[in-house]
Amino acid sequence: MTADSELYNRYGFVVDPRANKIQIKDAVEATYGVSVKKVRTMNYGPSRKTRFTKTGVQHGKTNAIKKAIVDVAEGDIIDFYSNL
């Protein structure tokens, strides 16, 4: 994502799984003051693991997440480090 942000003005975010593209676009524009051209989303399911322990077989999983890749208009940048 660092190379994409420098070369193509694309930024990646982890968003709420229930958020749609319009809500993501409005949130990024309101938070960072940039104009968004395009939003692409990816849903990642949980990864499941099984362990064999003294007490028996333990099953577990991680949380499902949704990622968004946001294309920003030419000339606009998002500076994550100046908002400290």
Side-chain angles (χ1 to χ4, degrees):
M1 283 314 311
T2 303
D4 271 0
S5 66
E6 292 174 358
L7 297 175
Y8 304 112
N9 278 348
R10 292 183 193 143
Y11 298 93
F13 298 97
V14 176
V15 297
D16 190 306
R18 297 167 294 184
N20 61 25
K21 293 181 181 184
I22 297 168
Q23 293 170 337
I24 295 168
K25 177 183 176 181
D26 292 340
V28 170
E29 286 178 346
T31 304
Y32 297 106
V34 295
S35 58
V36 175
K37 289 194 305 188
K38 185 195 239 182
V39 177
R40 292 176 288 172
T41 58
M42 299 173 277
N43 285 310
Y44 285 94
S47 60
R48 300 173 190 280
K49 294 183 179 180
T50 303
R51 292 184 305 186
F52 298 98
T53 63
K54 281 195 272 187
T55 59
V57 178
Q58 301 290 321
H59 299 284
K61 69 178 184 69
T62 60
N63 292 332
I65 61 171
K66 185 175 192 176
K67 291 183 183 180
I69 297 177
V70 177
D71 289 356
V72 179
E74 286 293 325
D76 289 344
I77 60 168
I78 296 175
D79 190 11
F80 293 111
Y81 301 107
S82 68
N83 296 335
L84 298 175

